[in-house]
Structure formats: C-alpha cells, structure tokens
Amino acid sequence: MDETRQRIQLVRLLYVSRAVGPQTTAVTDSILSVAQSANRQRGITGVLCQGQGLYLQVLEGERGVINALYNRITQDRRHQDVQLLLLEEISQRRYADWAMAHVLLADDDPMVQLHHPEFDPYSAPGASVLKMVADLVAKGERIRKTSV
Ligand SMILES: Cc1cc2nc3c(=O)[nH]c(=O)nc-3n(C[C@H](O)[C@H](O)[C@H](O)COP(=O)(O)O)c2cc1C
C-alpha cells in the first residue's frame, strides 16, 4: 500500500478485552472470517492475539476508519472489558500484509511466562504489550495469516 504520498492519517491502535464464554478457535474463526474481508475493503491491517481468555488486537489504518471500527468492536457482545492500551500515529504499517493475522496465545505459553512473568495487559504499559505482540509475531509460531 503506497500511503506515503497521500495525506492519509495512519494510526495504530491496541486494545485488550476479555472473551465472553469459551474462547475457542472456532469462535475466533467466525469473528475473523467476517472481519478479514471487511478489513480488506477498508484498508485495515493488524493482528488478533487470542488466549488465556483475552483478546489483544492491533489495528492499523486510516484514523477515521480505525475509530469507527474500534467503536463497533467496543459494542460487540462476544467480549467485554474492552480497554484501549495505545493509539499512535504512524507513517508505516507494521502488519501491512495482513488483513488480520491470528496468533494463538497458549495458556502455558513459555514466551509469556519466561519473558513476561508479570504479564497483565490491563496494568502493563501499552508500549510493552505492543512489543510483546510484536515478539510473538516475530517468533512466528501459532500464526495463521490471511493476507491483504
Ligand atoms: C475480538 C474481536 C475482534 C474483532 N475484529 C474485527 C476486525 O478486525 N474487523 C471487523 O470488521 N470486525 C471485527 N470484529 C467484529 C466487530 O465487532 C463487528 O461485529 C463488525 O465490525 C460488524 O459490525 P456491524 O454489525 O455493526 O456492521 C471483531 C470482534 C471481536 C469480538
């Protein structure tokens, strides 16, 4: 996506939420199958991490579009306690190729336990949580990508 020459205000947003009901891959798949095609149409990219009863989602795109989506997401009854962790203006996307990558965060994820023993996204600085998501994605395990 060549957005550098256009006057588009790009933002990256990170939030955390708690799943309502059992957090199975099937439930998340049904959320994502709709989300991914909508994201493609709206130029939204990012990552959805799922695990330990939590969702962590990074959304990247045009500011107004991301605001509108975030507002819809906060109303979604499939999760609760939606908390905004970070909103930053960006010049480049980090997940430009993914309409929404899906990362599974296992309950006993060694990455989370060893490197982030105090991991609680509700109290951690947003930048640290964003880095943890980036680390998980970079590690490349348990990722299911749907490209743009
Ligand atoms: C954890 C979670 C992540 C979601 N991610 C997206 C997403 O990336 N893109 C999207 O269009 N909808 C996403 N949704 C669905 C939206 O909440 C909403 O259902 C969808 O945008 C349709 O909204 P509408 O029914 O008001 O048109 C997500 C929902 C949940 C629970």
Side-chain angles (χ1 to χ4, degrees), residues 109-126:
D109 196 307
M111 178 85 178
V112 172
Q113 287 188 343
L114 291 178
H115 296 281
H116 307 274
E118 75 303 351
F119 178 66
D120 173 10
Y122 281 94
S123 55

Side-chain angles (χ1 to χ4, degrees), residues 10 12 51 57 99 119:
L10 271 187
R12 178 178 300 127
Q57 190 170 27
F119 178 66

Side-chain angles (χ1 to χ4, degrees), residues 88-147:
E88 58 186 3
E89 295 199 323
I90 54 172
S91 54
Q92 272 190 325
R93 294 171 191 252
R94 192 176 287 170
Y95 305 109
D97 296 336
W98 303 340
M100 194 53 59
H102 182 192
V103 177
L104 301 178
L105 202 62
D107 286 345
D108 59 348
D109 196 307
M111 178 85 178
V112 172
Q113 287 188 343
L114 291 178
H115 296 281
H116 307 274
E118 75 303 351
F119 178 66
D120 173 10
Y122 281 94
S123 55
S128 318
V129 181
L130 187 66
K131 170 143 192 340
M132 196 210 72
V133 173
D135 287 351
L136 283 170
V137 172
K139 206 171 132 213
E141 287 173 19
R142 298 200 208 88
I143 296 190
R144 304 188 300 157
K145 299 176 192 171
T146 299
S147 58

Side-chain angles (χ1 to χ4, degrees), residues 50-65:
Q50 165 204 340
Q52 306 180 12
L54 299 175
Y55 286 113
L56 281 169
Q57 190 170 27
V58 179
L59 300 168
E60 298 174 331
E62 196 273 316
R63 186 170 63 198
V65 173

Side-chain angles (χ1 to χ4, degrees), residues 15 31 35 38-39 55 57 69 72-73 76 78-79 100:
Y15 74 84
I31 294 172
N39 289 354
Y55 286 113
Q57 190 170 27
L69 174 58
R72 288 199 304 279
I73 284 177
D76 197 309
R78 292 170 288 189
H79 62 175
M100 194 53 59

Side-chain angles (χ1 to χ4, degrees), residues 8 16 26 30 33 41-42 50 64-65 67-68 80 83 91 102 119 129 135 138 140:
I8 290 177
V16 62
S30 77
S33 63
Q41 284 174 14
R42 298 190 180 111
Q50 165 204 340
V65 173
N67 265 288
Q80 60 193 5
Q83 193 170 117
S91 54
H102 182 192
F119 178 66
V129 181
D135 287 351

